[in-house]
Amino acid sequence: MTITSSTMDQALPRHVGIIMDGNGRWAERQGKPRVWGHKKGVDAVRRAVSFCRRLNIPSLTLFAFSSENWRRPEDEVSSLMELFMFVLQKEIKLLHKNQVRLNIIGDLSRFSTKLQAKIAEAEALTAGNTGLTLNVAANYGGRWDIAQAAQQLATQVAAGTLRAEDINEQLLASHIQMHDQPELDLMIRTGGDIRISNFLLWQAAYAELLFIDTLWPDFDDQVFADAIASFVSRERRFGCTGAQIRELAAATGQG
Ligand code: IPE
Ligand code: IPE
Ligand code: MG
């Protein structure tokens, strides 16, 4: 099946988030070290980025390393850091050529200064691209995200430029990561577990959730297309009744 934006109408998600889980098990099943799975996971990342470009999905957010992943054995953590650095250097030119804007979200202060510099360089190079915003969550945690937004507001209150009583959802949202991008529509987790693991907590409030058994290195166009098809088939009600939603769709000529 060839997938193009015209085959799937305008109900496509505008922002997809993926918890790329299952690399370690994929490798272990083949009797290989876990890091082999992480390396193969990079191919799946490439496929997912290309898929989103072809479907004109504006934002893709990939969970690459959580704030809890530091708890892993030291050698796995350092292999992941090296891989991150290597992939960043190797892929950035092609991403740039394909009009991808790279945006790393997370607390970067814990990374080496060398990696931080590479990240800044890659972001600066691709800052003007308008094809796809690829957000890579690294040392990211949904709770960290909400806390850093709260801290920004608290700083303004302390400076006397904001009144505490003026803080509302909208204002807090404007300090959460990716506030300038479309709302998260679809969150996919591969690897068979049914949990969010501190990924996009604020942003997931009304996202459609999809948990699939496929291990991340096996994630391909067909699996992604099936995920999109599942999303497209769902009725999102946002607190309304189904009848209201169908009425609205009829009035706007959709659905
Ligand atoms: C996800 O795969 C990648 C990272 C967390 C970096 P895992 O490494 O968690 O793979 P499993 O869940 O152990 O199979
Ligand atoms: C979530 O996967 C983090 C990433 C995919 C980067 P984990 O494998 O770390 O999640 P848990 O620990 O099983 O919940
Ligand atoms: Mg895992």
Side-chain angles (χ1 to χ4, degrees):
M1 163 183 173
T2 320
I3 309 122
T4 62
S5 46
S6 58
T7 56
M8 284 205 186
D9 81 33
Q10 58 273 70
L12 286 176
R14 303 187 63 226
H15 189 163
V16 179
I18 309 182
I19 302 174
M20 311 184 289
D21 197 23
N23 293 349
R25 278 164 287 163
W26 187 89
E28 279 157 11
R29 278 179 200 176
Q30 308 191 27
K32 298 250 172 66
R34 294 177 53 84
V35 65
W36 173 251
H38 297 315
K39 283 185 182 149
K40 284 291 171 187
V42 177
D43 296 338
V45 168
R46 225 178 271 119
R47 287 194 293 268
V49 169
S50 153
F51 184 93
C52 288
R53 278 296 283 127
R54 275 176 279 144
L55 260 72
N56 265 326
I57 292 171
S59 286
L60 173 67
T61 303
L62 300 177
F63 204 7
F65 192 87
S66 77
S67 43
E68 289 73 33
N69 286 146
W70 297 104
R71 296 173 186 157
R72 294 192 176 195
E74 220 173 282
D75 61 338
E76 181 165 346
V77 171
S78 57
S79 299
L80 280 166
M81 292 301 140
E82 276 167 35
L83 187 64
F84 195 27
M85 185 87 159
F86 177 74
V87 171
L88 199 59
Q89 295 193 134
K90 190 164 168 269
E91 302 289 329
I92 193 63
K93 278 201 187 109
L94 192 61
L95 288 174
H96 186 42
K97 198 175 143 221
N98 289 325
Q99 280 296 311
V100 176
R101 174 170 80 106
L102 186 69
N103 179 43
I104 311 290
I105 58 168
D107 180 3
L108 303 185
S109 67
R110 205 166 158 185
F111 293 130
S112 71
T113 45
K114 203 171 153 199
L115 184 51
Q116 288 185 47
K118 282 279 163 226
I119 288 171
E121 206 181 294
E123 286 180 335
L125 176 71
T126 60
N129 292 342
T130 53
L132 164 74
T133 299
L134 172 62
N135 307 287
V136 176
N139 192 22
Y140 177 88
R143 289 175 175 172
W144 164 84
D145 197 351
I146 296 167
Q148 66 79 30
Q151 193 179 51
Q152 289 187 47
L153 295 181
T155 306
Q156 292 175 31
V157 172
T161 54
L162 175 68
R163 296 184 316 165
E165 56 268 38
D166 289 337
I167 295 177
N168 55 26
E169 281 184 25
Q170 218 181 346
L171 191 64
L172 188 67
S174 72
H175 293 273
I176 296 279
Q177 305 290 304
M178 311 186 294
H179 58 85
D180 53 344
Q181 295 177 41
E183 292 237 2
L184 185 72
D185 284 324
L186 171 64
M187 185 195 281
I188 303 169
R189 181 183 187 126
T190 61
D193 287 309
I194 303 175
R195 56 175 173 262
I196 291 178
S197 300
N198 200 15
F199 192 33
L200 308 168
L201 298 182
W202 178 279
Q203 299 88 334
Y206 253 111
E208 293 299 320
L209 308 181
L210 182 66
F211 299 92
I212 58 178
D213 290 335
T214 307
L215 301 174
W216 178 249
D218 290 329
F219 192 87
D220 61 15
D221 284 3
Q222 189 58 59
V223 179
F224 208 162
D226 289 347
I228 301 289
S230 165
F231 173 84
V232 168
S233 73
R234 298 182 190 188
E235 182 180 68
R236 303 179 83 192
R237 291 189 287 276
F238 298 101
C240 300
T241 65
Q244 286 175 299
I245 296 299
R246 286 187 290 276
E247 222 170 90
L248 189 71
T252 56
Q254 289 177 6

